[in-house]
């Protein structure tokens, strides 16, 4: 039975560690405290005029006809020009844009802005040769190779909208996206390297194209050099298409685009329904990503070596490996492979070798490194790091502290950045040099962002309360809808509350006004009328010295409505025991309260995750409730749930709490 409270989600976990900004960092920071005092209009007007170069300046900052926004109206610009050409024209051609590190040993390339310009022009000319022009929809299905960024930039140079499909997706996922966007061209590669073996991208692309007859041309990069089937007339080797093509920018001028022209679609999967094609347009997206990148990562373009260790196939890679950093003339690292190949210190080897100063990654990666142990990081000199970032899931306080101590030398600030595919840019985040950090809190809305937590009835919950995260005013890089589905756009984001964007996440706001993200609202559990978020119980478990990772969900319970079930991975691959189980239950009771004590704990070597590393609690719920498993196609490794199922069945341990 649910009790009536004004808090949509109850929160009980208290985290009291504080990390004020180091003085030295504050002195040199890009963001100064008065950044929060500027008005929305003044802030974005200035960033819009100064951060990008316009062919035709905009005449109006924005227009808001809920639920659709437009930004920088009347302006024309080109994304490729802003990311590449203008830096070369400014005499910065010899600056490194990407230190690219292939997965095979010693496979490295240094790509300057001048190189990038030549590569993009040649690529764009090749695309034009097969008929790509302004408005032609192009799909890109590649691994983390420089040509992926080049392909995206070539599309933007011509004004062809793209959709990048992560290289781990199946033929069905690829064809579904290509059909939805009506793609006419697909850019792929023979194979990708992954953990020492190859991923057959072209072969999968062939299956996808068989189900996507609108695709008339396929451009193939040679990466591994192994044999792949090529269909005459449809498939073209990139190097053959590029043969004899000019790399002079004047041979392929940057197309002037309207601020609101479609830049790309990024598909995000719901739990079971068809993926949504999230629409991002040109100017608002570029201004939003470059502005946030500048302030949040404190980028000093001539000094920093910046590394976002995500995949370009996700929004994080679009915004913070390609468009934001290049627009800001950053020097970045791009890495092709996995963190544990050939050994678990690969990342730290990269940090040391390129003297990386800023590292941006996800909690799932941090927890993997925790599980493997700090000795891999200790083999390397990580003193160059001055700022760390996290994105993708709530970060457990213990993982946050581990990251700071073992990677950041107990000196670097950490920016825990909350945002979504739909928001395009970071929305809630500390600003390094200003914000006092709290492990597990994304702290404050970025300047100009108006975020709040609402209860069921649409009232703002006061400080200390938990509720549903909403965004109360539009922002430059917000989605412009779901491609071809206005109704779904309205239903998903704009129907729970009127004219307010519903993010689908829970959030608590503390006494200082800092935001604590509580995960997806579908993951909230109701135990004896208390609405408890999974992340709090998970964080209490990860707080225990032996726990590397935990995922929590609920199962039906006759007495309490729902009872908490925890899936736990112990550090160093250790096995669980009955004693350990009791110890962990008591640990949760101590950290949060007896109400949050898991009724069952299942020990497991791995947790089920999506391909982008998010824990799939939905499937754990199915296991806990002994139901047939729901859609498993978004799982990175389908064998993991089977393993967990058999463990859950054999253990069935723990009495009711
Ligand atoms: O639930 C939130 C979680 O990731 C969701 C967005 O996922 P996606 O569209 O794949 O974009 C990921 C990269 C921006 C959000 O609704 N999320 C993302 N960052 C955080 C987070 N949850 C808590 N804290 C974060 N820093």
């Amino acid at each position: 039975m649910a009790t009536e409270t004004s808090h949509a989600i109850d929160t009980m976990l208290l985290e009291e560690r504080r990390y004020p900004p180091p003085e030295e960092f504050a002195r040199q920071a890009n963001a100064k405290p008065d950044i929060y005092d500027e008005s929305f209009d003044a802030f974005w007007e200035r960033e819009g005029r100064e951060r990008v170069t316009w062919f035709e300046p905009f005449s109006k900052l924005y227009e808001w006809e809920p639920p659709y926004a437009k930004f920088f109206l009347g302006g024309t610009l080109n994304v490729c020009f802003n990311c590449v050409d203008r830096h070369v024209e400014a005499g910065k051609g010899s600056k490194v844009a990407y230190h690219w590190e292939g997965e095979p040993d010693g496979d490295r390339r240094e790509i300057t802005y001048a190189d990038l310009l030549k590569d993009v022009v040649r690529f764009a000319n090749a695309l034009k040769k097969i008929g790509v022009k302004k408005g032609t929809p192009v799909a890109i299905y590649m691994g983390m190779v420089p040509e992926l960024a080049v392909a995206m930039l070539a599309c933007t140079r011509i004004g062809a909208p793209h959709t990048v499909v992560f290289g781990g997706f199946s033929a069905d996922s690829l064809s579904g996206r290509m059909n939805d966007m009506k793609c006419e061209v697909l850019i792929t590669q023979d194979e990708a390297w992954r953990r020492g073996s190859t991923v057959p991208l072209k072969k999968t692309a062939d299956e996808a194209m068989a189900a996507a007859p609108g695709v008339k041309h396929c451009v193939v990069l040679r990466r591994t050099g192994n044999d792949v089937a090529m269909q005459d007339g449809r498939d073209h080797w990139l190097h053959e298409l590029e043969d004899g093509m000019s790399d002079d920018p004047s041979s392929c001028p940057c197309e002037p685009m309207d601020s609101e022209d479609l830049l790309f679609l990024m598909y995000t999967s719901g739990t079971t329904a068809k993926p949504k094609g999230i629409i991002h347009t040109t100017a608002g997206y570029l201004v939003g990503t470059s502005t946030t990148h500048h302030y949040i990562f404190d980028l000093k373009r001539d000094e920093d070596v910046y590394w976002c260790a995500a995949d370009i196939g996700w929004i994080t890679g679009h915004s913070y490996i390609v468009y934001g950093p290049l627009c800001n003339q950053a020097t970045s690292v791009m890495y092709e492979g996995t963190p544990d190949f050939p050994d678990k210190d690969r990342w730290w080897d990269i940090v040391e070798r390129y003297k990386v100063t800023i590292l941006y990654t996800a909690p799932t990666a941090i927890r993997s490194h925790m599980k493997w142990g700090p000795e891999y990081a200790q083999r390397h000199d990580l003193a160059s790091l001055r700022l760390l970032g996290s994105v993708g899931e709530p970060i457990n306080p213990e993982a946050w502290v581990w990251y700071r101590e073992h990677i950041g030398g107990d000196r670097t600030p950490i920016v825990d950045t909350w945002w979504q595919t739909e928001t395009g840019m970071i929305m809630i985040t500390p600003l390094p040099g200003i914000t006092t950090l709290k492990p597990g809190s994304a702290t404050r809305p970025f300047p100009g962002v108006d975020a709040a937590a609402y209860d069921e009835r649409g009232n703002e919950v006061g400080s200390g309360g938990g509720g549903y995260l909403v965004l109360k005013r539009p922002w430059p890089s917000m989605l412009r809808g779901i491609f071809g589905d206005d109704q779904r756009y309205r239903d998903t984001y704009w129907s729970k509350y009127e004219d307010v964007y519903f993010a689908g996440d829970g959030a608590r706001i503390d006494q200082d006004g800092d935001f604590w993200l509580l995960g997806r609202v579908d993951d909230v559990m109701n135990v004896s009328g208390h609405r408890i978020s999974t992340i709090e119980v998970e964080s209490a478990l990860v707080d225990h010295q032996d726990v590397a990772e935990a995922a929590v969900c609920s199962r039906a319970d006759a007495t309490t409505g729902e009872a908490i079930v925890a899936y736990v991975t112990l550090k160093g691959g250790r096995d669980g025991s009955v004693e350990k189980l009791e110890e962990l239950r008591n640990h949760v009771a101590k950290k949060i309260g007896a109400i949050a004590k898991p009724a069952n704990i299942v020990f497991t070597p791995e947790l089920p995750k999506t391909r982008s590393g998010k824990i799939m609690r939905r499937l754990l719920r199915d296991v806990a409730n002994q139901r047939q498993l729901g859609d498993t196609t978004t799982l990175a490794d389908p064998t993991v749930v089977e393993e967990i199922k058999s463990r859950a069945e054999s253990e069935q341990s723990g009495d009711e709490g």
Side-chain angles (χ1 to χ4, degrees), residues 315-316 391-394 416-422 505 517 520 614:
I315 192 71
T316 305
V391 60
E393 281 184 297
D416 172 5
T417 63
W418 178 89
W419 57 297
Q420 305 178 302
T421 301
E422 292 86 342
D505 282 345
L517 278 304
R520 302 298 294 167
K614 294 185 206 292

